[in-house]
């Protein structure tokens, strides 16, 4: 349907075009090419949408070891999130220090026990609700929203799914509310950054013979709904 175009709207359009040209937008509204990766735990805020960036401590902040060989960058956006639990004992230490120590423990297990080049998961969520980067490069990729690093958290999905490890074992008990709340925030932000629909959040047992992530799997419909509500 065509409508008459007034002189006023033509002028307004010209102004908007001028503004767009001056901003020199980057693809998908992401950070400009060449932007330096974050180097502190308090990562810079990016504004791709309505979900604010949660605090995610990067590898340097929690004292990660360097990878034993370079991580691989996958030149495409992930299409899903896979939720895990670590199956570690349910600690009652909800401190940030414990979250960092837990990230180191997982990395040591994955590198020294499994022989992997780095942590297998992309991100980790503590029982106190603190988020940390897992495999090196995962946070930089998430903030830019265009690529991902290849993980090692779910066979067959490591080049297309972001893996989030939730500390603890939830076969018989529910996770603390703080863990649940930060999981919702993390998933909403990740869905926003990568354009992943909230419906594409799964549990490890959807792709492998495992009880991971326990009762969190039963709550995936609730998680998807909460994430969808935040995405708006
Ligand atoms: Zn798992």
């Amino acid at each position: 349907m065509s409508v008459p175009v007034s002189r006023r709207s033509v002028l307004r359009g010209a102004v908007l075009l001028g503004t767009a040209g001056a901003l020199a937008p980057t693809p998908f509204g992401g950070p400009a090419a060449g932007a330096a990766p974050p180097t502190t735990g308090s990562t810079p805020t990016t504004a791709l949408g309505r979900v604010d960036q949660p605090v995610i401590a990067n590898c340097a902040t929690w004292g990660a070891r360097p990878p034993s060989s370079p991580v691989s960058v996958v030149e495409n956006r992930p299409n899903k999130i896979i939720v895990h639990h670590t199956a570690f004992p349910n600690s009652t230490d909800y401190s940030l220090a414990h979250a960092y120590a837990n990230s180191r423990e997982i990395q040591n297990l994955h590198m020294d026990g499994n022989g992997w080049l780095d942590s297998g998961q992309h991100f980790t969520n503590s029982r106190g609700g603190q988020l940390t980067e897992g495999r090196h490069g995962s946070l930089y990729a998430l903030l830019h929203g265009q690529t991902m690093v290849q993980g090692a958290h779910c066979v067959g999905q490591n080049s297309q799914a972001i893996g989030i490890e939730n500390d603890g074992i939830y076969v018989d008990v529910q996770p603390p509310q703080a863990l649940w709340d930060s999981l919702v925030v993390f998933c909403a932000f990740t869905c926003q950054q990568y354009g992943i629909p909230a419906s594409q959040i799964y549990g490890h047992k959807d792709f492998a013979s495992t009880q991971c992530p326990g009762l969190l799997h039963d709550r995936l419909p609730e998680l998807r709904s909460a994430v969808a509500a935040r995405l708006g």
Side-chain angles (χ1 to χ4, degrees), residues 104-155:
R104 293 191 294 270
E105 186 176 354
I106 295 171
Q107 188 192 29
N108 288 337
L109 180 67
H110 286 179
M111 293 181 72
D112 302 333
N114 298 2
W116 297 346
L117 61 89
D118 196 356
S119 300
Q121 79 283 10
H122 296 97
F123 296 96
T124 311
N125 186 20
S126 77
R127 284 170 54 81
Q130 295 104 349
L131 295 163
T132 55
E133 182 180 33
R135 181 159 292 197
H136 284 78
S138 298
L139 182 56
Y140 181 76
L142 176 65
L143 297 182
H144 287 70
Q146 300 303 310
T147 63
M148 62 178 286
V149 298
Q150 182 170 334
H153 62 94
C154 182
V155 173

mmCIF file of all heavy atoms in Angstrom, residues 104-155:
data_model
loop_
_atom_site.group_PDB
_atom_site.id
_atom_site.type_symbol
_atom_site.label_atom_id
_atom_site.label_comp_id
_atom_site.label_asym_id
_atom_site.label_seq_id
_atom_site.Cartn_x
_atom_site.Cartn_y
_atom_site.Cartn_z
ATOM 1 N N ARG A 104 38.825 -23.390 38.393
ATOM 2 C CA ARG A 104 40.166 -23.967 38.255
ATOM 3 C C ARG A 104 40.141 -25.486 38.406
ATOM 4 O O ARG A 104 40.848 -26.213 37.696
ATOM 5 C CB ARG A 104 41.111 -23.337 39.295
ATOM 6 C CG ARG A 104 41.383 -21.856 39.052
ATOM 7 C CD ARG A 104 42.524 -21.336 39.929
ATOM 8 N NE ARG A 104 42.211 -21.339 41.350
ATOM 9 C CZ ARG A 104 41.639 -20.319 42.012
ATOM 10 N NH1 ARG A 104 41.310 -19.212 41.366
ATOM 11 N NH2 ARG A 104 41.394 -20.403 43.307
ATOM 12 N N GLU A 105 39.308 -25.959 39.312
ATOM 13 C CA GLU A 105 39.211 -27.406 39.529
ATOM 14 C C GLU A 105 38.668 -28.108 38.280
ATOM 15 O O GLU A 105 39.155 -29.174 37.880
ATOM 16 C CB GLU A 105 38.306 -27.685 40.731
ATOM 17 C CG GLU A 105 38.262 -29.145 41.135
ATOM 18 C CD GLU A 105 37.443 -29.403 42.396
ATOM 19 O OE1 GLU A 105 36.998 -28.429 43.034
ATOM 20 O OE2 GLU A 105 37.237 -30.581 42.726
ATOM 21 N N ILE A 106 37.674 -27.522 37.679
ATOM 22 C CA ILE A 106 37.119 -28.107 36.449
ATOM 23 C C ILE A 106 38.171 -28.112 35.345
ATOM 24 O O ILE A 106 38.354 -29.112 34.638
ATOM 25 C CB ILE A 106 35.882 -27.304 35.976
ATOM 26 C CG1 ILE A 106 34.747 -27.414 36.989
ATOM 27 C CG2 ILE A 106 35.427 -27.796 34.596
ATOM 28 C CD1 ILE A 106 33.570 -26.483 36.698
ATOM 29 N N GLN A 107 38.869 -26.991 35.213
ATOM 30 C CA GLN A 107 39.880 -26.919 34.159
ATOM 31 C C GLN A 107 40.972 -27.965 34.382
ATOM 32 O O GLN A 107 41.402 -28.642 33.433
ATOM 33 C CB GLN A 107 40.493 -25.518 34.080
ATOM 34 C CG GLN A 107 41.405 -25.370 32.857
ATOM 35 C CD GLN A 107 42.249 -24.113 32.880
ATOM 36 O OE1 GLN A 107 42.612 -23.597 33.940
ATOM 37 N NE2 GLN A 107 42.564 -23.606 31.697
ATOM 38 N N ASN A 108 41.426 -28.113 35.628
ATOM 39 C CA ASN A 108 42.441 -29.119 35.925
ATOM 40 C C ASN A 108 41.946 -30.520 35.582
ATOM 41 O O ASN A 108 42.681 -31.332 35.006
ATOM 42 C CB ASN A 108 42.825 -29.056 37.405
ATOM 43 C CG ASN A 108 43.646 -27.825 37.732
ATOM 44 O OD1 ASN A 108 44.282 -27.237 36.848
ATOM 45 N ND2 ASN A 108 43.628 -27.416 38.992
ATOM 46 N N LEU A 109 40.694 -30.793 35.936
ATOM 47 C CA LEU A 109 40.115 -32.108 35.633
ATOM 48 C C LEU A 109 40.060 -32.349 34.125
ATOM 49 O O LEU A 109 40.410 -33.434 33.634
ATOM 50 C CB LEU A 109 38.711 -32.186 36.239
ATOM 51 C CG LEU A 109 37.937 -33.482 36.020
ATOM 52 C CD1 LEU A 109 38.594 -34.648 36.763
ATOM 53 C CD2 LEU A 109 36.484 -33.324 36.481
ATOM 54 N N HIS A 110 39.630 -31.338 33.391
ATOM 55 C CA HIS A 110 39.482 -31.492 31.942
ATOM 56 C C HIS A 110 40.838 -31.604 31.223
ATOM 57 O O HIS A 110 40.980 -32.373 30.274
ATOM 58 C CB HIS A 110 38.681 -30.318 31.359
ATOM 59 C CG HIS A 110 37.222 -30.397 31.683
ATOM 60 N ND1 HIS A 110 36.299 -29.446 31.284
ATOM 61 C CD2 HIS A 110 36.503 -31.328 32.373
ATOM 62 C CE1 HIS A 110 35.091 -29.778 31.719
ATOM 63 N NE2 HIS A 110 35.188 -30.913 32.376
ATOM 64 N N MET A 111 41.822 -30.847 31.725
ATOM 65 C CA MET A 111 43.135 -30.877 31.053
ATOM 66 C C MET A 111 43.968 -32.080 31.504
ATOM 67 O O MET A 111 44.542 -32.794 30.679
ATOM 68 C CB MET A 111 43.899 -29.572 31.322
ATOM 69 C CG MET A 111 43.248 -28.363 30.660
ATOM 70 S SD MET A 111 44.145 -26.797 30.935
ATOM 71 C CE MET A 111 45.594 -27.026 29.893
ATOM 72 N N ASP A 112 44.019 -32.305 32.811
ATOM 73 C CA ASP A 112 44.901 -33.358 33.342
ATOM 74 C C ASP A 112 44.214 -34.720 33.363
ATOM 75 O O ASP A 112 44.859 -35.749 33.164
ATOM 76 C CB ASP A 112 45.356 -32.991 34.760
ATOM 77 C CG ASP A 112 46.070 -31.646 34.799
ATOM 78 O OD1 ASP A 112 46.653 -31.265 33.769
ATOM 79 O OD2 ASP A 112 46.025 -30.987 35.854
ATOM 80 N N GLY A 113 42.910 -34.730 33.612
ATOM 81 C CA GLY A 113 42.188 -35.994 33.673
ATOM 82 C C GLY A 113 41.727 -36.459 32.303
ATOM 83 O O GLY A 113 41.904 -37.622 31.933
ATOM 84 N N ASN A 114 41.127 -35.543 31.544
ATOM 85 C CA ASN A 114 40.566 -35.910 30.245
ATOM 86 C C ASN A 114 41.551 -35.715 29.100
ATOM 87 O O ASN A 114 41.307 -36.185 27.990
ATOM 88 C CB ASN A 114 39.308 -35.076 29.954
ATOM 89 C CG ASN A 114 38.202 -35.314 30.977
ATOM 90 O OD1 ASN A 114 38.379 -36.073 31.925
ATOM 91 N ND2 ASN A 114 37.068 -34.676 30.794
ATOM 92 N N GLY A 115 42.621 -34.956 29.364
ATOM 93 C CA GLY A 115 43.594 -34.707 28.305
ATOM 94 C C GLY A 115 43.134 -33.687 27.285
ATOM 95 O O GLY A 115 43.633 -33.661 26.153
ATOM 96 N N TRP A 116 42.193 -32.847 27.691
ATOM 97 C CA TRP A 116 41.699 -31.823 26.770
ATOM 98 C C TRP A 116 42.601 -30.597 26.805
ATOM 99 O O TRP A 116 43.381 -30.408 27.737
ATOM 100 C CB TRP A 116 40.267 -31.409 27.143
ATOM 101 C CG TRP A 116 39.282 -32.542 27.017
ATOM 102 C CD1 TRP A 116 39.480 -33.737 26.369
ATOM 103 C CD2 TRP A 116 37.963 -32.602 27.576
ATOM 104 N NE1 TRP A 116 38.347 -34.525 26.486
ATOM 105 C CE2 TRP A 116 37.405 -33.848 27.217
ATOM 106 C CE3 TRP A 116 37.198 -31.712 28.338
ATOM 107 C CZ2 TRP A 116 36.127 -34.232 27.590
ATOM 108 C CZ3 TRP A 116 35.916 -32.080 28.719
ATOM 109 C CH2 TRP A 116 35.383 -33.329 28.349
ATOM 110 N N LEU A 117 42.493 -29.740 25.801
ATOM 111 C CA LEU A 117 43.394 -28.593 25.707
ATOM 112 C C LEU A 117 43.025 -27.470 26.684
ATOM 113 O O LEU A 117 43.847 -26.582 26.960
ATOM 114 C CB LEU A 117 43.432 -28.066 24.265
ATOM 115 C CG LEU A 117 42.129 -27.560 23.642
ATOM 116 C CD1 LEU A 117 41.925 -26.078 23.917
ATOM 117 C CD2 LEU A 117 42.139 -27.812 22.126
ATOM 118 N N ASP A 118 41.811 -27.515 27.214
ATOM 119 C CA ASP A 118 41.326 -26.441 28.085
ATOM 120 C C ASP A 118 40.024 -26.950 28.720
ATOM 121 O O ASP A 118 39.608 -28.089 28.472
ATOM 122 C CB ASP A 118 41.054 -25.186 27.234
ATOM 123 C CG ASP A 118 40.906 -23.903 28.044
ATOM 124 O OD1 ASP A 118 40.941 -23.963 29.294
ATOM 125 O OD2 ASP A 118 40.746 -22.838 27.421
ATOM 126 N N SER A 119 39.375 -26.100 29.499
ATOM 127 C CA SER A 119 38.044 -26.445 30.006
ATOM 128 C C SER A 119 37.167 -26.848 28.825
ATOM 129 O O SER A 119 37.276 -26.287 27.736
ATOM 130 C CB SER A 119 37.415 -25.228 30.695
ATOM 131 O OG SER A 119 38.213 -24.783 31.777
ATOM 132 N N GLY A 120 36.284 -27.808 29.068
ATOM 133 C CA GLY A 120 35.427 -28.264 27.975
ATOM 134 C C GLY A 120 34.243 -27.357 27.717
ATOM 135 O O GLY A 120 33.819 -27.162 26.571
ATOM 136 N N GLN A 121 33.686 -26.804 28.787
ATOM 137 C CA GLN A 121 32.492 -25.959 28.671
ATOM 138 C C GLN A 121 32.863 -24.520 28.335
ATOM 139 O O GLN A 121 33.979 -24.076 28.598
ATOM 140 C CB GLN A 121 31.686 -26.004 29.977
ATOM 141 C CG GLN A 121 32.204 -25.126 31.114
ATOM 142 C CD GLN A 121 33.414 -25.694 31.845
ATOM 143 O OE1 GLN A 121 34.011 -26.668 31.421
ATOM 144 N NE2 GLN A 121 33.785 -25.053 32.948
ATOM 145 N N HIS A 122 31.901 -23.797 27.789
ATOM 146 C CA HIS A 122 32.144 -22.393 27.448
ATOM 147 C C HIS A 122 32.033 -21.476 28.665
ATOM 148 O O HIS A 122 32.761 -20.487 28.772
ATOM 149 C CB HIS A 122 31.156 -21.952 26.360
ATOM 150 C CG HIS A 122 31.341 -22.678 25.066
ATOM 151 N ND1 HIS A 122 30.578 -23.773 24.709
ATOM 152 C CD2 HIS A 122 32.231 -22.495 24.070
ATOM 153 C CE1 HIS A 122 30.993 -24.220 23.526
ATOM 154 N NE2 HIS A 122 31.986 -23.463 23.125
ATOM 155 N N PHE A 123 31.103 -21.841 29.544
ATOM 156 C CA PHE A 123 30.868 -20.990 30.713
ATOM 157 C C PHE A 123 30.493 -21.863 31.907
ATOM 158 O O PHE A 123 30.071 -23.011 31.749
ATOM 159 C CB PHE A 123 29.746 -19.970 30.431
ATOM 160 C CG PHE A 123 30.100 -19.003 29.335
ATOM 161 C CD1 PHE A 123 29.686 -19.240 28.029
ATOM 162 C CD2 PHE A 123 30.873 -17.880 29.602
ATOM 163 C CE1 PHE A 123 30.046 -18.371 27.003
ATOM 164 C CE2 PHE A 123 31.233 -17.007 28.590
ATOM 165 C CZ PHE A 123 30.817 -17.252 27.279
ATOM 166 N N THR A 124 30.644 -21.264 33.113
ATOM 167 C CA THR A 124 30.342 -21.974 34.345
ATOM 168 C C THR A 124 29.497 -21.079 35.234
ATOM 169 O O THR A 124 29.702 -19.858 35.279
ATOM 170 C CB THR A 124 31.656 -22.336 35.083
ATOM 171 O OG1 THR A 124 32.565 -22.940 34.159
ATOM 172 C CG2 THR A 124 31.392 -23.312 36.224
ATOM 173 N N ASN A 125 28.560 -21.695 35.922
ATOM 174 C CA ASN A 125 27.659 -20.978 36.821
ATOM 175 C C ASN A 125 27.805 -21.601 38.212
ATOM 176 O O ASN A 125 27.705 -22.819 38.356
ATOM 177 C CB ASN A 125 26.219 -21.125 36.309
ATOM 178 C CG ASN A 125 25.213 -20.316 37.086
ATOM 179 O OD1 ASN A 125 25.565 -19.350 37.776
ATOM 180 N ND2 ASN A 125 23.951 -20.698 36.958
ATOM 181 N N SER A 126 28.065 -20.785 39.218
ATOM 182 C CA SER A 126 28.298 -21.316 40.563
ATOM 183 C C SER A 126 27.002 -21.405 41.360
ATOM 184 O O SER A 126 25.983 -20.818 40.989
ATOM 185 C CB SER A 126 29.292 -20.428 41.311
ATOM 186 O OG SER A 126 28.643 -19.258 41.768
ATOM 187 N N ARG A 127 27.061 -22.099 42.486
ATOM 188 C CA ARG A 127 25.879 -22.214 43.342
ATOM 189 C C ARG A 127 25.554 -20.878 44.013
ATOM 190 O O ARG A 127 24.436 -20.666 44.466
ATOM 191 C CB ARG A 127 26.097 -23.322 44.381
ATOM 192 C CG ARG A 127 25.939 -24.705 43.739
ATOM 193 C CD ARG A 127 26.388 -25.838 44.654
ATOM 194 N NE ARG A 127 25.751 -25.844 45.954
ATOM 195 C CZ ARG A 127 24.537 -26.328 46.220
ATOM 196 N NH1 ARG A 127 23.821 -26.857 45.234
ATOM 197 N NH2 ARG A 127 24.058 -26.309 47.439
ATOM 198 N N GLY A 128 26.522 -19.978 44.025
ATOM 199 C CA GLY A 128 26.253 -18.626 44.507
ATOM 200 C C GLY A 128 25.750 -17.700 43.406
ATOM 201 O O GLY A 128 25.454 -16.534 43.667
ATOM 202 N N GLY A 129 25.674 -18.226 42.183
ATOM 203 C CA GLY A 129 25.154 -17.427 41.073
ATOM 204 C C GLY A 129 26.208 -16.576 40.379
ATOM 205 O O GLY A 129 25.874 -15.611 39.686
ATOM 206 N N GLN A 130 27.488 -16.947 40.539
ATOM 207 C CA GLN A 130 28.542 -16.208 39.842
ATOM 208 C C GLN A 130 28.890 -16.919 38.537
ATOM 209 O O GLN A 130 29.043 -18.140 38.506
ATOM 210 C CB GLN A 130 29.793 -16.089 40.719
ATOM 211 C CG GLN A 130 29.588 -15.267 41.983
ATOM 212 C CD GLN A 130 29.466 -16.148 43.227
ATOM 213 O OE1 GLN A 130 29.327 -17.365 43.133
ATOM 214 N NE2 GLN A 130 29.515 -15.514 44.392
ATOM 215 N N LEU A 131 29.026 -16.146 37.486
ATOM 216 C CA LEU A 131 29.320 -16.687 36.168
ATOM 217 C C LEU A 131 30.794 -16.495 35.833
ATOM 218 O O LEU A 131 31.359 -15.423 36.101
ATOM 219 C CB LEU A 131 28.466 -15.992 35.095
ATOM 220 C CG LEU A 131 26.954 -16.233 35.212
ATOM 221 C CD1 LEU A 131 26.174 -15.196 34.410
ATOM 222 C CD2 LEU A 131 26.610 -17.644 34.720
ATOM 223 N N THR A 132 31.397 -17.516 35.253
ATOM 224 C CA THR A 132 32.786 -17.423 34.803
ATOM 225 C C THR A 132 32.900 -17.984 33.387
ATOM 226 O O THR A 132 32.095 -18.812 32.957
ATOM 227 C CB THR A 132 33.750 -18.216 35.716
ATOM 228 O OG1 THR A 132 33.301 -19.570 35.801
ATOM 229 C CG2 THR A 132 33.804 -17.620 37.125
ATOM 230 N N GLU A 133 33.925 -17.496 32.705
ATOM 231 C CA GLU A 133 34.254 -18.040 31.386
ATOM 232 C C GLU A 133 34.862 -19.415 31.573
ATOM 233 O O GLU A 133 35.596 -19.648 32.536
ATOM 234 C CB GLU A 133 35.257 -17.100 30.711
ATOM 235 C CG GLU A 133 35.662 -17.499 29.303
ATOM 236 C CD GLU A 133 36.658 -16.507 28.693
ATOM 237 O OE1 GLU A 133 37.490 -15.934 29.445
ATOM 238 O OE2 GLU A 133 36.599 -16.302 27.483
ATOM 239 N N GLY A 134 34.581 -20.338 30.675
ATOM 240 C CA GLY A 134 35.211 -21.650 30.695
ATOM 241 C C GLY A 134 36.374 -21.659 29.713
ATOM 242 O O GLY A 134 37.449 -21.138 30.005
ATOM 243 N N ARG A 135 36.158 -22.202 28.555
ATOM 244 C CA ARG A 135 37.229 -22.266 27.553
ATOM 245 C C ARG A 135 37.631 -20.865 27.100
ATOM 246 O O ARG A 135 36.772 -20.013 26.847
ATOM 247 C CB ARG A 135 36.791 -23.133 26.369
ATOM 248 C CG ARG A 135 37.862 -23.271 25.284
ATOM 249 C CD ARG A 135 37.648 -24.495 24.410
ATOM 250 N NE ARG A 135 37.874 -25.747 25.155
ATOM 251 C CZ ARG A 135 38.068 -26.933 24.594
ATOM 252 N NH1 ARG A 135 38.065 -27.047 23.275
ATOM 253 N NH2 ARG A 135 38.262 -28.013 25.334
ATOM 254 N N HIS A 136 38.937 -20.644 26.987
ATOM 255 C CA HIS A 136 39.458 -19.341 26.575
ATOM 256 C C HIS A 136 38.812 -18.883 25.254
ATOM 257 O O HIS A 136 38.675 -19.669 24.324
ATOM 258 C CB HIS A 136 40.976 -19.412 26.360
ATOM 259 C CG HIS A 136 41.765 -19.438 27.625
ATOM 260 N ND1 HIS A 136 41.900 -20.581 28.387
ATOM 261 C CD2 HIS A 136 42.459 -18.458 28.273
ATOM 262 C CE1 HIS A 136 42.659 -20.305 29.443
ATOM 263 N NE2 HIS A 136 43.010 -19.031 29.408
ATOM 264 N N GLY A 137 38.485 -17.622 25.212
ATOM 265 C CA GLY A 137 37.920 -17.043 23.999
ATOM 266 C C GLY A 137 36.406 -17.054 23.965
ATOM 267 O O GLY A 137 35.798 -16.386 23.129
ATOM 268 N N SER A 138 35.795 -17.795 24.886
ATOM 269 C CA SER A 138 34.326 -17.921 24.857
ATOM 270 C C SER A 138 33.637 -16.594 25.130
ATOM 271 O O SER A 138 32.611 -16.280 24.511
ATOM 272 C CB SER A 138 33.866 -18.953 25.892
ATOM 273 O OG SER A 138 34.390 -20.232 25.610
ATOM 274 N N LEU A 139 34.192 -15.814 26.057
ATOM 275 C CA LEU A 139 33.559 -14.547 26.411
ATOM 276 C C LEU A 139 33.717 -13.516 25.299
ATOM 277 O O LEU A 139 32.767 -12.812 24.960
ATOM 278 C CB LEU A 139 34.145 -14.026 27.730
ATOM 279 C CG LEU A 139 33.546 -12.729 28.275
ATOM 280 C CD1 LEU A 139 32.040 -12.841 28.450
ATOM 281 C CD2 LEU A 139 34.222 -12.332 29.588
ATOM 282 N N TYR A 140 34.910 -13.452 24.735
ATOM 283 C CA TYR A 140 35.147 -12.528 23.620
ATOM 284 C C TYR A 140 34.168 -12.832 22.474
ATOM 285 O O TYR A 140 33.554 -11.926 21.902
ATOM 286 C CB TYR A 140 36.593 -12.682 23.145
ATOM 287 C CG TYR A 140 36.977 -11.779 22.009
ATOM 288 C CD1 TYR A 140 37.234 -10.429 22.223
ATOM 289 C CD2 TYR A 140 37.101 -12.284 20.715
ATOM 290 C CE1 TYR A 140 37.596 -9.602 21.174
ATOM 291 C CE2 TYR A 140 37.467 -11.464 19.668
ATOM 292 C CZ TYR A 140 37.716 -10.122 19.910
ATOM 293 O OH TYR A 140 38.069 -9.307 18.863
ATOM 294 N N ALA A 141 34.013 -14.114 22.172
ATOM 295 C CA ALA A 141 33.099 -14.506 21.095
ATOM 296 C C ALA A 141 31.653 -14.140 21.436
ATOM 297 O O ALA A 141 30.912 -13.637 20.594
ATOM 298 C CB ALA A 141 33.219 -16.009 20.834
ATOM 299 N N LEU A 142 31.268 -14.373 22.679
ATOM 300 C CA LEU A 142 29.893 -14.069 23.093
ATOM 301 C C LEU A 142 29.598 -12.577 22.976
ATOM 302 O O LEU A 142 28.527 -12.179 22.497
ATOM 303 C CB LEU A 142 29.668 -14.532 24.537
ATOM 304 C CG LEU A 142 28.314 -14.194 25.162
ATOM 305 C CD1 LEU A 142 27.178 -14.930 24.441
ATOM 306 C CD2 LEU A 142 28.302 -14.541 26.650
ATOM 307 N N LEU A 143 30.543 -11.752 23.384
ATOM 308 C CA LEU A 143 30.312 -10.312 23.350
ATOM 309 C C LEU A 143 30.205 -9.793 21.920
ATOM 310 O O LEU A 143 29.528 -8.806 21.653
ATOM 311 C CB LEU A 143 31.419 -9.569 24.117
ATOM 312 C CG LEU A 143 31.488 -9.887 25.614
ATOM 313 C CD1 LEU A 143 32.572 -9.074 26.286
ATOM 314 C CD2 LEU A 143 30.139 -9.651 26.289
ATOM 315 N N HIS A 144 30.882 -10.457 21.004
ATOM 316 C CA HIS A 144 30.803 -10.045 19.599
ATOM 317 C C HIS A 144 29.631 -10.699 18.874
ATOM 318 O O HIS A 144 29.148 -10.171 17.881
ATOM 319 C CB HIS A 144 32.120 -10.346 18.884
ATOM 320 C CG HIS A 144 33.225 -9.420 19.275
ATOM 321 N ND1 HIS A 144 33.812 -9.448 20.520
ATOM 322 C CD2 HIS A 144 33.816 -8.403 18.616
ATOM 323 C CE1 HIS A 144 34.730 -8.484 20.594
ATOM 324 N NE2 HIS A 144 34.749 -7.841 19.457
ATOM 325 N N GLY A 145 29.212 -11.865 19.327
ATOM 326 C CA GLY A 145 27.992 -12.477 18.814
ATOM 327 C C GLY A 145 28.049 -13.066 17.423
ATOM 328 O O GLY A 145 26.994 -13.315 16.830
ATOM 329 N N GLN A 146 29.244 -13.307 16.905
ATOM 330 C CA GLN A 146 29.333 -13.805 15.526
ATOM 331 C C GLN A 146 30.009 -15.165 15.401
ATOM 332 O O GLN A 146 29.815 -15.858 14.404
ATOM 333 C CB GLN A 146 30.094 -12.794 14.657
ATOM 334 C CG GLN A 146 29.422 -11.437 14.601
ATOM 335 C CD GLN A 146 27.999 -11.535 14.105
ATOM 336 O OE1 GLN A 146 27.738 -12.161 13.077
ATOM 337 N NE2 GLN A 146 27.064 -10.944 14.820
ATOM 338 N N THR A 147 30.837 -15.502 16.369
ATOM 339 C CA THR A 147 31.577 -16.764 16.312
ATOM 340 C C THR A 147 31.473 -17.457 17.670
ATOM 341 O O THR A 147 30.952 -16.893 18.630
ATOM 342 C CB THR A 147 33.070 -16.519 16.017
ATOM 343 O OG1 THR A 147 33.641 -15.757 17.087
ATOM 344 C CG2 THR A 147 33.268 -15.779 14.698
ATOM 345 N N MET A 148 32.010 -18.653 17.753
ATOM 346 C CA MET A 148 32.115 -19.355 19.026
ATOM 347 C C MET A 148 33.429 -20.129 19.011
ATOM 348 O O MET A 148 33.983 -20.398 17.945
ATOM 349 C CB MET A 148 30.940 -20.318 19.228
ATOM 350 C CG MET A 148 30.862 -21.430 18.185
ATOM 351 S SD MET A 148 29.493 -22.594 18.453
ATOM 352 C CE MET A 148 30.123 -23.529 19.871
ATOM 353 N N VAL A 149 33.915 -20.472 20.181
ATOM 354 C CA VAL A 149 35.064 -21.371 20.202
ATOM 355 C C VAL A 149 34.525 -22.797 20.298
ATOM 356 O O VAL A 149 33.460 -23.041 20.885
ATOM 357 C CB VAL A 149 36.031 -21.076 21.367
ATOM 358 C CG1 VAL A 149 36.621 -19.677 21.252
ATOM 359 C CG2 VAL A 149 35.351 -21.267 22.711
ATOM 360 N N GLN A 150 35.250 -23.720 19.699
ATOM 361 C CA GLN A 150 34.826 -25.119 19.755
ATOM 362 C C GLN A 150 34.978 -25.612 21.186
ATOM 363 O O GLN A 150 36.030 -25.443 21.795
ATOM 364 C CB GLN A 150 35.654 -25.965 18.795
ATOM 365 C CG GLN A 150 35.204 -27.418 18.793
ATOM 366 C CD GLN A 150 35.836 -28.219 17.674
ATOM 367 O OE1 GLN A 150 36.215 -27.672 16.649
ATOM 368 N NE2 GLN A 150 35.945 -29.519 17.876
ATOM 369 N N GLY A 151 33.927 -26.205 21.708
ATOM 370 C CA GLY A 151 33.957 -26.694 23.073
ATOM 371 C C GLY A 151 34.244 -28.182 23.142
ATOM 372 O O GLY A 151 34.594 -28.821 22.135
ATOM 373 N N ALA A 152 34.116 -28.717 24.338
ATOM 374 C CA ALA A 152 34.225 -30.164 24.561
ATOM 375 C C ALA A 152 33.288 -30.484 25.724
ATOM 376 O O ALA A 152 33.728 -30.805 26.820
ATOM 377 C CB ALA A 152 35.655 -30.569 24.867
ATOM 378 N N HIS A 153 31.997 -30.358 25.463
ATOM 379 C CA HIS A 153 31.030 -30.576 26.551
ATOM 380 C C HIS A 153 29.920 -31.541 26.161
ATOM 381 O O HIS A 153 29.231 -32.079 27.029
ATOM 382 C CB HIS A 153 30.422 -29.243 27.011
ATOM 383 C CG HIS A 153 29.635 -28.511 25.951
ATOM 384 N ND1 HIS A 153 28.272 -28.651 25.826
ATOM 385 C CD2 HIS A 153 30.017 -27.655 24.970
ATOM 386 C CE1 HIS A 153 27.850 -27.896 24.814
ATOM 387 N NE2 HIS A 153 28.883 -27.290 24.282
ATOM 388 N N CYS A 154 29.749 -31.780 24.850
ATOM 389 C CA CYS A 154 28.667 -32.663 24.401
ATOM 390 C C CYS A 154 29.005 -33.172 23.007
ATOM 391 O O CYS A 154 29.019 -32.384 22.050
ATOM 392 C CB CYS A 154 27.344 -31.896 24.398
ATOM 393 S SG CYS A 154 25.922 -32.889 23.914
ATOM 394 N N VAL A 155 29.276 -34.472 22.915
ATOM 395 C CA VAL A 155 29.685 -35.043 21.637
ATOM 396 C C VAL A 155 28.651 -34.744 20.550
ATOM 397 O O VAL A 155 27.449 -34.919 20.758
ATOM 398 C CB VAL A 155 29.890 -36.574 21.767
ATOM 399 C CG1 VAL A 155 30.143 -37.213 20.404
ATOM 400 C CG2 VAL A 155 31.045 -36.870 22.714
#
